[in-house]
Amino acid sequence: MFFSLVLIGAIALGIQAIIGLGFFATCIAERETRASVYAFVQFALMAAVLVIYLVLARSGFFYQPLGGKVLILLICVGLVGLFLVMRREPNPRAKDGSQGYVVGKVRRFDERDLVFARNRTLRPGTQQYTAYYEMHPEREAHDAQRRQKGGPVGPVGKIDYPDSGFEVAMAAACLSIPHYLSRPRMVTPGVHPMAKQYVKFDSPAGARENTRRIKGFAKKLGADMVGVARINPNWIYSHRGEIFNENWEDWGRPMELEHTHAVVFAEEMDWDLTMTGPHTPTLIESMRNYAKGAFISTQLAAFIANLGHSATANHLRHYELILPAVAVDAGLGELSRMGYLLTKAFGPRIRLSAVTTDMPLVADKPVDLGIQSFCAVCKKCAVCCPSQSIPEADDPKEVNGTLRWKLNEETCFDHWAKVGTDCNVCMRVCPWSHARTWPHRLIVYLTQRNRLNQRLFTLLDDIFYGYKPKAKKYNGDWAGY
């Protein structure tokens, strides 16, 4: 009996020491000096406890009356601790997807009101400029001031001048792809001459086969996550606001969507580049993923069209839907405090694109990752936000009929203009953004379980990585040789 208990204790402490060693190796790989020091101390203490335990076991201490009581006490404490960290606290709202957070009347969002759309699209002196600021005179002076400073996001790469030339050129090269793949408007492909429509599935079995094929092709094209959602009309933009290729007749056009489903996919943003935010390497990674999203969505829409169904590609600045909300319904993740979708696989280090279609598909179920309770505890993105654009309130508030934390997009955009990049500091500091080595995957799993774990790992993240982690320097060789 006692031999089995002694063996169980040794195995438990051995596993603990292995986890500590793995985390130490992870911190070194992440080039985190502070975290590596703390991780080494942690591992050393775990190893010391294991050695002491084995010495006591070898001496026969645990087979004596006092030692037996100590052993039983340690195992009981361990079992209680295991129960506490493993118990699950479900969030009923999350299981209902975006609709679970609707608590009032939702007004469809007008794309013309997007800070991006009005600052990039509207030109002083045009009919559209006059019409918009007659509707919203309170915004004209601030928007005009932004334009006078050099454009919607200011001089690109300003934060790293004069050494950001290569990075800015790379980001602009990536940005050209979404524009090229949206001429003259959003892409709604026709059937390619070489495609023969052998089948057109409309049955439940056919919908399952459609879904399997669509997801498989999206993954093959480079998507890291793919989900399907039935389109909720609340998340369709009410009016067109982004204009390209001089299609001014589209500006202000009411947006109606007859498609029933959205295929939403995410591409992972490279960890090394993202960790440099707000510096220019992170801008390259954002634009690279937007280009990748345009590449995937355009081909995916064409694939669906070749099967005899209508489809439209939604990618950078060519959207009909508010994608984070639709991605929640597609089961890719949950909405976070910072406003990004937060996924289990990559945290917020993703970019979203989609294809809307009338093809019969099987919708995925929303997921409960414990993000709402985690974000209520963590607040790291809000604390580290350079423009203080992310609210620090404990609980989300009702905004346009939905329960959420509301980003101040005006001050956020002002900071983008100041640094000349898309910042990404909130994405960089989020504890869910760590590279998915196996110790971090274990932490993510435990963090989903309950608030006790969330408080514990938030505290440990502050201790190991810092309350306000600094941006990393990118050490990659751009030339590739």
Side-chain angles (χ1 to χ4, degrees):
M1 172 66 177
F2 272 97
F3 174 78
S4 298
L5 293 178
V6 170
L7 182 60
I8 290 172
I11 292 173
L13 291 175
I15 292 173
Q16 180 178 258
I18 291 172
I19 293 173
L21 178 61
F23 187 65
F24 175 51
T26 289
C27 293
I28 293 176
E30 291 176 331
R31 304 189 306 278
E32 290 281 357
T33 304
R34 173 191 176 120
S36 297
V37 172
Y38 281 106
F40 175 76
V41 172
Q42 174 187 259
F43 168 64
L45 290 173
M46 290 177 173
V49 169
L50 175 61
V51 169
I52 292 171
Y53 180 90
L54 293 175
V55 170
L56 290 175
R58 185 176 179 83
S59 70
F61 173 74
F62 295 119
Y63 295 97
Q64 300 173 13
L66 177 60
K69 293 178 181 178
V70 171
L71 177 62
I72 293 173
L73 177 62
L74 290 174
I75 290 178
C76 289
V77 170
L79 290 174
V80 171
L82 185 64
F83 170 76
L84 290 175
V85 300
M86 294 298 290
R87 66 191 179 93
R88 186 74 167 100
E89 295 177 355
N91 177 7
R93 290 186 184 274
K95 290 296 186 181
D96 290 332
S98 62
Q99 193 61 35
Y101 295 93
V102 173
V103 293
K105 183 175 177 56
V106 177
R107 176 181 57 84
R108 286 170 57 191
F109 192 84
D110 190 334
E111 193 184 39
R112 293 174 295 183
D113 292 335
L114 282 176
V115 66
F116 297 107
R118 65 179 195 265
N119 282 273
R120 289 186 298 213
T121 295
L122 296 178
R123 300 172 186 169
T126 63
Q127 176 185 349
Q128 291 78 13
Y129 182 97
T130 301
Y132 182 80
Y133 289 111
E134 283 180 351
M135 291 188 291
H136 299 284
E138 74 282 1
R139 293 174 176 165
E140 184 173 11
H142 194 171
D143 289 352
Q145 187 178 32
R146 284 197 189 104
R147 295 186 186 94
Q148 290 172 0
K149 290 181 178 180
V153 292
V156 179
K158 179 181 178 181
I159 190 173
D160 295 321
Y161 279 0
D163 300 319
S164 56
F166 282 112
E167 285 82 359
V168 171
M170 290 178 189
C174 294
L175 184 61
S176 67
I177 298 300
H179 296 331
Y180 180 77
L181 292 177
S182 58
R183 296 178 185 271
R185 289 179 171 85
M186 293 180 69
V187 177
T188 302
V191 178
H192 194 279
M194 68 177 284
K196 295 182 178 180
Q197 299 173 46
Y198 294 106
V199 290
K200 191 171 181 180
F201 292 126
D202 293 313
S203 65
R208 290 193 294 271
E209 181 66 8
N210 291 340
T211 305
R212 187 178 75 87
R213 297 281 187 161
I214 292 297
K215 288 185 175 181
F217 190 47
K219 288 282 188 74
K220 183 60 68 176
L221 290 172
D224 293 301
M225 301 176 67
V226 188
V228 175
R230 180 169 287 279
I231 294 174
N232 184 332
N234 286 335
W235 316 135
I236 303 172
Y237 286 115
S238 64
H239 296 81
R240 169 64 67 205
E242 288 273 26
I243 298 301
F244 299 94
N245 309 311
E246 302 303 314
N247 296 322
W248 285 103
E249 66 274 13
D250 288 347
W251 188 86
R253 173 176 55 82
M255 296 174 67
E256 302 297 336
L257 192 59
E258 295 182 359
H259 292 163
T260 56
H261 288 83
V263 182
V264 191
F265 52 91
E267 312 96 43
E268 178 191 9
M269 290 180 62
D270 178 78
W271 181 84
D272 281 316
L273 292 172
T274 304
M275 291 301 109
T276 66
H279 295 276
T280 43
T282 195
L283 179 64
I284 299 170
E285 186 58 14
S286 291
M287 296 304 105
R288 186 184 74 85
N289 274 278
Y290 281 127
K292 189 176 179 181
F295 171 84
I296 297 169
S297 61
T298 301
Q299 292 183 83
L300 200 61
F303 173 48
I304 294 173
N306 289 339
L307 293 174
H309 294 276
S310 173
T312 301
N314 285 243
H315 57 76
L316 175 63
R317 294 170 66 184
H318 298 83
Y319 302 112
E320 294 176 316
L321 303 169
I322 300 175
L323 289 193
V326 184
V328 168
D329 292 337
L332 298 188
E334 292 187 61
L335 200 63
S336 64
R337 177 185 289 272
M338 69 185 86
Y340 283 120
L341 184 80
L342 208 157
T343 67
K344 180 179 179 180
F346 311 112
R349 287 188 296 107
I350 51 111
R351 288 290 184 240
L352 294 170
S353 302
V355 172
T356 62
T357 181
D358 60 3
M359 173 181 267
L361 296 170
V362 178
D364 291 292
K365 294 181 179 180
V367 294
D368 176 10
L369 302 178
I371 300 304
Q372 295 299 302
S373 59
F374 176 84
C375 286
V377 167
C378 178
K379 303 182 182 181
K380 200 161 192 173
C381 60
V383 169
C384 296
C385 178
S387 58
Q388 298 181 327
S389 301
I390 302 172
E392 292 190 43
D394 290 344
D395 298 314
K397 309 294 183 183
E398 182 179 346
V399 180
N400 187 27
T402 62
L403 203 60
R404 58 192 170 96
W405 289 282
K406 177 67 172 67
L407 172 78
N408 185 334
E409 64 272 14
E410 300 294 332
T411 55
C412 177
F413 196 65
D414 284 341
H415 184 73
W416 285 28
K418 180 180 179 180
V419 297
T421 72
D422 54 0
C423 185
N424 281 338
V425 166
C426 54
M427 183 184 292
R428 169 173 63 80
V429 302
C430 177
W432 285 66
S433 281
H434 292 296
R436 287 301 188 263
T437 56
W438 69 263
H440 280 306
R441 286 199 297 271
L442 176 61
I443 291 171
V444 165
Y445 171 76
L446 294 174
T447 301
Q448 295 177 70
R449 308 309 296 175
N450 54 62
R451 287 206 176 198
L452 175 65
N453 294 353
Q454 291 164 357
R455 292 184 184 279
L456 172 63
F457 288 118
T458 297
L459 174 62
L460 290 176
D461 194 84
D462 288 344
I463 292 172
F464 280 78
Y465 295 95
Y467 186 58
K468 292 186 175 182
K470 295 181 179 179
K472 290 182 176 296
K473 291 184 178 181
Y474 183 68
N475 297 325
D477 183 355
W478 290 115
Y481 59 87

